[in-house]
Amino acid sequence: MSSIHHRTATVDGYEIFYREAGPADAPAIVLLHGYPTSSFMFRELIPLLADDYHVIAPDHLGFGHSDAPRVGEFTYTFDALAELTSGLLDQLGLDRYALYVQDYGAPIGWRLALKHPERISALVTQNGNGYEDGFVESFWTDVWAYGANPGPDTEPAVRAALSVDAIRWQYVHGVPDPSLVSPDTWEHDFALVSREGNDEVQLALFRDYQNNRPLYPLLHEFLRTSEVPVLAVWGRNDEIFGPAGARAFARDAKDAEVHLVNGGHFLLESHLDVVAGYLRGFLGRVLG
């Protein structure tokens, strides 16, 4: 089994933490995590890929072990996070790679693909949204309201997402056997978002999320014109990004492979072997 290295790189003056494994000359895959976690979410997937692939899994700025400057010191937007990720990949010399995106990793990954479409060898989305179809209205209504009119009337509803109960819900909701999900996951994430000042970081990204939606038509055009291979493996019981968001990729991606699994938002915690099986089969076919 390949060793996993835990490294940092300085990008635009900020320390970005990343996990790296596998042969440097193997096909590369970049794993981009979601809210409110970090590359920690890929801790068990990386060893299942690293024998055959060069795996890179960074922590976004403000998450995990990467720097987390205060909101007054850095303007947190998805554009800015994507630029830092792009800078990291440039430093690592990655000019061709597959992307695995989940949750926040999706809008960051879409920006990478639109900036350098020639670099993308394949796209894997695991509950990483790219279509209006994917938004579950009951979850997103409060986020849209806060983005449109941030203030004391709209903030409490989204601030509640920072609580340990809300984070636990993201992990166990829709999972047929919640005992498969380790409490270490939500306790780990809650501890990190509870760091002094990190609440404002997360609120800034909640406000900015609405600016991801105008990218979707550009993403769809990229999927049609590039014919990049796409795998959508999705927890079908996710009430943040619903299964319609997975099926939608088949509208634009040529021969998109879509699998709906009986799980929730953080599918790797309950169905690691299922996801890894689909992923390794897909990568083996499209990357050789």
Side-chain angles (χ1 to χ4, degrees):
M1 181 177 293
S2 297
S3 299
I4 301 175
H5 300 273
H6 304 84
R7 297 183 163 129
T8 59
T10 302
V11 183
D12 292 343
Y14 298 103
E15 291 296 302
I16 302 298
F17 172 87
Y18 63 98
R19 301 170 198 254
E20 182 173 20
D25 59 351
I29 180 167
V30 177
L31 312 178
L32 299 179
H33 70 82
Y35 167 85
T37 186
S38 63
S39 61
F40 179 77
M41 72 169 282
F42 299 118
R43 66 199 180 281
E44 294 180 343
L45 179 64
I46 293 172
L48 302 181
L49 299 175
D51 284 349
D52 298 308
Y53 302 99
H54 181 195
V55 187
I56 302 291
D59 289 353
H60 309 315
L61 195 76
F63 294 81
H65 296 293
S66 288
D67 278 351
R70 298 292 189 92
V71 163
E73 302 166 347
F74 182 84
T75 301
Y76 283 89
T77 65
F78 287 91
D79 281 341
L81 296 185
E83 282 300 310
L84 289 172
T85 305
S86 180
L88 172 67
L89 300 182
D90 286 345
Q91 280 196 32
L92 298 179
L94 293 188
D95 56 9
R96 185 73 170 166
Y97 49 85
L99 281 173
Y100 178 119
V101 301
Q102 194 264 353
D103 193 86
Y104 275 12
I108 293 170
W110 306 152
R111 285 168 168 82
L112 296 179
L114 294 172
K115 181 178 182 180
H116 290 294
E118 75 285 355
R119 296 184 179 182
I120 308 304
S121 59
L123 288 177
V124 179
T125 172
Q126 184 256 294
N127 298 76
N129 199 46
Y131 288 82
E132 292 289 332
D133 311 52
F135 292 118
V136 177
E137 184 177 357
S138 59
F139 181 89
W140 287 96
T141 297
D142 291 334
V143 178
W144 303 144
Y146 180 57
N149 186 30
D153 292 334
T154 56
E155 182 180 307
V158 294
R159 183 175 281 275
L162 304 176
S163 71
V164 67
D165 288 341
I167 294 172
R168 179 184 181 275
W169 177 86
Q170 288 201 37
Y171 276 98
V172 301
H173 185 80
V175 180
D177 182 1
S179 72
L180 293 173
V181 183
S182 170
D184 296 340
T185 54
W186 62 81
E187 294 290 352
H188 173 271
D189 292 355
F190 177 65
L192 291 174
V193 301
S194 298
R195 291 173 293 176
E196 186 175 358
N198 199 261
D199 58 338
E200 295 299 330
V201 170
Q202 306 305 332
L203 290 173
L205 290 171
F206 291 163
R207 291 193 296 272
D208 190 56
Y209 201 92
Q210 62 188 333
N211 295 320
N212 295 323
R213 299 168 82 178
L215 288 179
Y216 289 172
L218 302 176
L219 168 66
H220 307 160
E221 178 65 16
F222 163 71
L223 295 176
R224 289 191 296 270
T225 58
S226 70
E227 297 188 356
V228 64
V230 173
L231 167 66
V233 56
W234 214 274
R236 70 183 183 212
N237 306 322
D238 187 356
E239 292 195 25
I240 300 173
F241 299 121
R247 298 188 189 99
F249 281 91
R251 289 206 296 264
D252 296 299
K254 182 179 179 181
D255 301 324
E257 185 176 333
V258 179
H259 300 281
L260 300 179
V261 180
N262 189 22
H265 188 65
F266 284 108
L267 195 57
L268 292 177
E269 301 301 332
S270 59
H271 292 77
L272 173 68
D273 290 342
V274 173
V275 176
Y278 286 133
L279 179 56
R280 287 183 60 84
F282 171 76
L283 294 176
R285 288 189 294 276
V286 302
L287 300 185

